[in-house]
Amino acid sequence: MGRSDEVYGADVTTNDFINYKVMQGQHLYYIDNVRYEIFSSYTDFSQDAFMHTFFDFIQCGFSNPQIIDEQFCVKRTDNTRLLTKGTSVNFTVKNMWNYLYLVDFTGNYSEPQYYNKSSCIEIGLYYMTAGGSWGYVKGNSNSRMLFCDEPEAMSFYVEIDSIPEDAYQLCFSVKSDIKTAYGYGSDVYDKLKNSSYCIERYGGGSFMTVEVNKGLPVEDDEVEEPEDDTILGWLDSLFTGIKNLPGNISKALKSSFDFLSSGISNLGNVFNTVGDGIKSTFSSIGSNITNGLSNLGTFILDGLIGLFVPSSDYFEDYVERLRGFFEAKLGFLYAPIDLVVEVLEALNDANPQNASMTFPELKFQGYTVVESREFSFSDISEEFDLQEYIYFVTDIILVGAVFNLFQLKLRELIEG
Amino acid sequence: MIIQGLLDLIYNLLTSLFGWISLPALPKEINDVLDKFLECILGAVDFAALLFNFDLLKILIPVVLVIIYLDKVWKLVMFILKKIPFIDIH
């Protein structure tokens, strides 16, 4: 790793955003034609932000221009608080890279892991000291990684119980040879070779900490104070007891009333249950009678329909049987009938989407000079929305022609 | 069941009437020519569908047939009307 001015390669454009606001940060890029590394540090986090989004945009001007962008999100939920001071070393991060797809993994990890499905990935979570040494960090049992095929997304969730005191940076690294796909430029498919994200200890504070309380309120984290067993402590507890006496009496009264009201409410529930039982019995009898009558009506109606009208498949089968019989018996005499039937079917199934022309391939001494190509007319008409206008014009012409024929025929009839 | 039975009866009648006939099929060479011809027509139909709205054509074709044979339709209608005495058409 090095500093931001140590950029190898050609033109490199970078931008860092946190919640779409450009942030100052340290950037490090080791770039050659096939590899790059990213180092970014962020020191200013909003306490009340719902989500911090770290967005790196890198454009490398090599002979084959590559555009890579990535997102790194730390989400905040209702039971989450962000801390920037204190000595807590809990570290909970949800991270997501789009356009990756891999395998499923749950459990601890403390060093880079390799997973294989369609490709290889290496994920590392490590710390660095100010002196430049480093080591892997172990996630606890809540840590997990999830790689999804379908949405082409990867996420991992890390909780760290403890990290060394002299840790200066916490870093995630993801190394992979999986394709990332972005729709920019001509050479838009690039391989994510190596990326790492680091969060730096700043100004003597802790790492950015995201604590997630799994179903427990934040207040549960409060530390209980140890009891004082001296006389002053006993007097203090006595005065505290006297001070809290009215509150305790009101709490006791409230709990008594709560008990009584819950008893009454339970009695009401019993009556409700009995009433519901009676109601449901009568309603089930009524619904059975209604259903029975309805079923009888349906049965009679279906029987009458079935008596006169054959099933829809019958007519199709009947026509096919007749066609097969006459084709076999009448032989060449049936050919014109078959021709007419096929033309009528073609007229019925006519589809402008199928109107195409195939230009044959051109070969010279065994080498294909021009490959065969299919030209579809519907592509042009769809491209310029021509189809509707063509139909509009021809519809008017056809209807006009029919009216013209009608008035000619009518005149012919009237004039005798 | 009733309509189905009647149709089956007609089918059986036709098969018994034409059952004894067994004419040879068209020679393969002629069949190939017909197929080629049909292929051209079918391709042309798809091209025609680019220009003409076939949903409208399916409605207009029966209407045109009625108009073309309007004199015969007229005669038929008048023939029926003349048979009704209280209308008094001669």
Side-chain angles (χ1 to χ4, degrees):
Chain A
M1 292 203 173
R3 292 297 163 197
S4 58
D5 52 353
E6 294 177 13
V7 175
Y8 307 116
D11 302 326
V12 176
T13 311
T14 67
N15 283 302
D16 273 10
F17 300 92
I18 296 181
N19 297 339
Y20 302 101
K21 184 180 170 187
V22 180
M23 299 299 292
Q24 295 281 329
Q26 295 177 342
H27 310 286
L28 164 68
Y29 300 94
Y30 277 132
I31 298 174
D32 55 35
N33 282 342
V34 289
R35 287 176 69 93
Y36 68 91
E37 289 182 4
I38 307 164
F39 171 87
S40 300
S41 69
Y42 307 95
T43 55
D44 185 12
F45 300 101
S46 170
Q47 283 289 301
D48 57 353
F50 172 73
M51 182 174 79
H52 287 107
T53 303
F54 303 80
F55 185 77
D56 278 341
F57 182 83
I58 305 114
Q59 184 170 10
C60 311
F62 300 118
S63 57
N64 289 322
Q66 301 167 18
I67 296 175
I68 303 151
D69 64 5
E70 290 209 325
Q71 271 196 163
F72 173 55
C73 302
V74 179
K75 283 187 180 174
R76 186 175 189 183
T77 62
D78 291 341
N79 289 326
T80 302
R81 56 183 174 161
L82 296 169
L83 302 175
T84 53
K85 59 182 181 178
T87 55
S88 171
V89 290
N90 291 333
F91 198 96
T92 305
V93 167
K94 186 177 180 186
N95 195 359
M96 178 172 281
W97 278 267
N98 287 325
Y99 303 103
L100 292 176
Y101 40 97
L102 271 170
V103 294
D104 199 357
F105 171 79
T106 304
N108 287 338
Y109 68 100
S110 58
E111 58 189 32
Q113 308 271 334
Y114 291 87
Y115 309 101
N116 284 299
K117 191 169 183 182
S118 57
S119 197
C120 173
I121 193 165
E122 175 188 318
I123 293 177
L125 180 61
Y126 57 95
Y127 71 93
M128 294 194 71
T129 65
S133 61
W134 64 279
Y136 290 116
V137 183
K138 188 178 174 66
N140 67 17
S141 60
N142 291 322
S143 302
R144 59 183 176 272
M145 299 179 206
L146 179 66
F147 307 98
C148 310
D149 273 337
E150 282 278 305
E152 298 186 344
M154 179 190 79
S155 67
F156 70 83
Y157 173 90
V158 183
E159 280 187 18
I160 304 163
D161 291 333
S162 63
I163 55 169
E165 282 298 316
D166 59 343
Y168 176 71
Q169 294 163 349
L170 269 179
C171 299
F172 297 95
S173 75
V174 178
K175 299 175 184 178
S176 165
D177 61 353
I178 302 156
K179 277 183 179 177
T180 58
Y182 285 94
Y184 304 116
S186 57
D187 189 8
V188 294
Y189 290 90
D190 193 20
K191 289 185 174 182
L192 176 63
K193 286 289 180 187
N194 183 338
S195 68
S196 62
Y197 294 88
C198 299
I199 295 171
E200 189 176 352
R201 190 188 288 265
Y202 181 70
S206 73
F207 296 101
M208 186 195 71
T209 304
V210 184
E211 287 183 5
V212 179
N213 299 289
K214 296 174 183 62
L216 296 173
V218 175
E219 290 77 31
D220 287 354
D221 288 341
E222 288 175 4
V223 180
E224 287 184 10
E225 290 181 4
E227 288 183 8
D228 188 358
D229 54 358
T230 60
I231 293 175
L232 280 175
W234 179 78
L235 281 173
D236 186 46
S237 65
L238 182 68
F239 283 122
T240 310
I242 292 166
K243 193 172 74 180
N244 292 338
L245 190 61
N248 289 337
I249 290 168
S250 71
K251 273 184 190 171
L253 282 172
K254 186 173 177 294
S255 63
S256 305
F257 279 118
D258 284 347
F259 175 74
L260 275 175
S261 67
S262 71
I264 291 164
S265 135
N266 285 338
L267 198 62
N269 286 339
V270 170
F271 281 119
N272 273 340
T273 313
V274 173
D276 285 346
I278 293 165
K279 195 174 134 192
S280 68
T281 308
F282 278 105
S283 115
S284 69
I285 291 167
S287 65
N288 281 338
I289 292 167
T290 315
N291 288 338
L293 286 172
S294 160
N295 288 339
L296 184 68
T298 313
F299 174 75
I300 292 167
L301 201 65
D302 286 347
L304 283 171
I305 290 170
L307 192 63
F308 289 99
V309 183
S311 66
S312 57
D313 295 338
Y314 174 78
F315 289 106
E316 207 174 312
D317 176 58
Y318 186 78
V319 172
E320 278 302 312
R321 272 192 295 157
L322 273 180
R323 274 185 72 175
F325 171 74
F326 283 116
E327 198 172 356
K329 294 292 171 190
L330 298 181
F332 66 91
L333 286 181
Y334 189 74
I337 301 168
D338 197 35
L339 199 70
V340 170
V341 170
E342 284 196 33
V343 169
L344 287 176
E345 278 179 355
L347 285 172
N348 194 40
D349 302 334
N351 186 3
Q353 304 290 328
N354 300 335
S356 62
M357 190 179 282
T358 306
F359 294 98
E361 67 178 4
L362 189 64
K363 276 192 171 181
F364 181 72
Q365 289 187 343
Y367 294 100
T368 306
V369 181
V370 180
E371 288 186 351
S372 69
R373 191 158 294 208
E374 188 175 322
F375 177 74
S376 177
F377 287 91
S378 61
D379 289 346
I380 303 170
S381 57
E382 276 174 13
E383 185 74 25
F384 301 104
D385 286 333
L386 277 176
Q387 194 68 69
E388 266 183 54
Y389 300 113
I390 292 171
Y391 277 171
F392 176 71
V393 172
T394 54
D395 284 355
I396 289 173
I397 292 169
L398 286 171
V399 174
V402 170
F403 273 111
N404 187 43
L405 178 71
F406 180 68
Q407 66 100 11
L408 283 173
K409 200 74 186 175
L410 205 62
R411 190 182 295 168
E412 192 182 301
L413 273 177
I414 292 167
E415 290 171 359
Chain B
M1 292 283 274
I2 293 167
I3 294 172
Q4 194 172 327
L6 283 171
L7 287 172
D8 284 343
L9 188 69
I10 292 166
Y11 178 77
N12 289 334
L13 272 172
L14 286 172
T15 49
S16 55
L17 271 174
F18 294 95
W20 57 275
I21 301 173
S22 186
L23 294 172
L26 272 180
K28 188 181 171 296
E29 289 74 16
I30 300 175
N31 240 341
D32 290 345
V33 173
L34 280 176
D35 283 344
K36 281 278 175 198
F37 174 67
L38 206 64
E39 202 177 307
C40 293
I41 288 180
L42 299 190
V45 166
D46 287 333
F47 274 104
L50 269 175
L51 296 175
F52 298 104
N53 186 356
F54 271 55
D55 291 332
L56 181 73
L57 275 181
K58 283 172 201 168
I59 301 164
L60 288 184
I61 285 169
V63 175
V64 167
L65 286 174
V66 170
I67 292 170
I68 288 170
Y69 297 104
L70 195 61
D71 49 341
K72 291 181 176 61
V73 175
W74 178 262
K75 280 176 188 167
L76 181 73
V77 172
M78 291 310 287
F79 174 77
I80 293 166
L81 289 176
K82 279 174 189 173
K83 295 290 173 193
I84 304 169
F86 59 86
I87 298 180
D88 198 25
I89 295 176
H90 300 288

